[in-house]
Amino acid sequence: GDTPMDERSQRRDEARVLLTNPDTLHVSVLPHHRQWSDVLSNLRYVVLDEAHMYGGAFGAHVAAILRRLWRLAAMYRAATPGAAGVADAGYRYACCSATLGNPRELFQSLTGLSSPLRVVDTDGAPHGRRQLVLWQPPIRAEPM
């Protein structure tokens, strides 16, 4: 909302990365998909951060938006089956969450897709040696 109107089309036409949220997709991008046809036809990745937040009614809303995005991206590109791992739409999803117990089920319910799907549940980040220390403070008979 803080970008002047005369700059928006230039930024949209020249953008290589679009950072947005489900509500902005719903209100500003998908209803005006003709203006976003270049972005939609070249879409390669959709990243959902904090995916554990997309449950219940809000999750159903996000799932509907992702399906609309998928249909429009498929419409605007001449995708070959299996392109970038997803037939027709031609792009990949990455769902991120550090606190999710059922990532496969959530991904499937949000996207409607069942494969290809790879759950990454290991931490490959470099780190120093870890040491776990537990300490039981002494029990005092008298309050301090």
Side-chain angles (χ1 to χ4, degrees):
D2 61 349
T3 304
M5 292 300 285
D6 57 334
E7 293 180 30
R8 290 183 185 190
S9 62
Q10 179 185 4
R11 290 186 183 188
R12 181 185 56 238
D13 295 342
E14 295 175 2
R16 294 183 44 95
V17 175
L18 174 66
L19 302 176
T20 188
N21 59 49
D23 291 327
T24 300
L25 278 175
H26 175 66
V27 173
S28 299
V29 176
L30 300 179
H32 308 285
H33 56 86
R34 286 181 186 86
Q35 295 172 348
W36 291 90
S37 62
D38 286 343
V39 172
L40 292 167
S41 66
N42 291 298
L43 190 62
R44 295 292 175 260
Y45 300 99
V46 173
V47 179
L48 300 172
D49 195 16
E50 301 295 336
H52 60 274
M53 299 300 295
Y54 304 127
F58 183 58
H61 173 65
V62 171
I65 291 169
L66 293 176
R67 284 165 176 77
R68 285 174 54 209
L69 176 64
W70 190 87
R71 285 193 308 271
L72 288 169
M75 182 177 86
Y76 282 108
R77 68 175 285 152
T80 57
V86 179
D88 298 324
Y91 62 84
R92 289 185 180 186
Y93 285 102
C95 296
C96 308
S97 177
T99 59
L100 194 57
N102 59 342
R104 183 176 307 276
E105 293 81 10
L106 180 65
F107 174 83
Q108 290 172 339
S109 67
L110 281 173
T111 65
L113 303 172
S114 59
S115 65
L117 174 59
R118 179 174 171 223
V119 175
V120 178
D121 57 2
T122 57
D123 182 0
H127 57 81
R129 185 174 158 230
R130 295 180 183 165
Q131 186 175 18
L132 179 63
V133 177
L134 300 175
W135 176 63
Q136 175 67 42
I139 298 175
R140 301 182 76 144
E142 298 176 21
M144 293 177 61

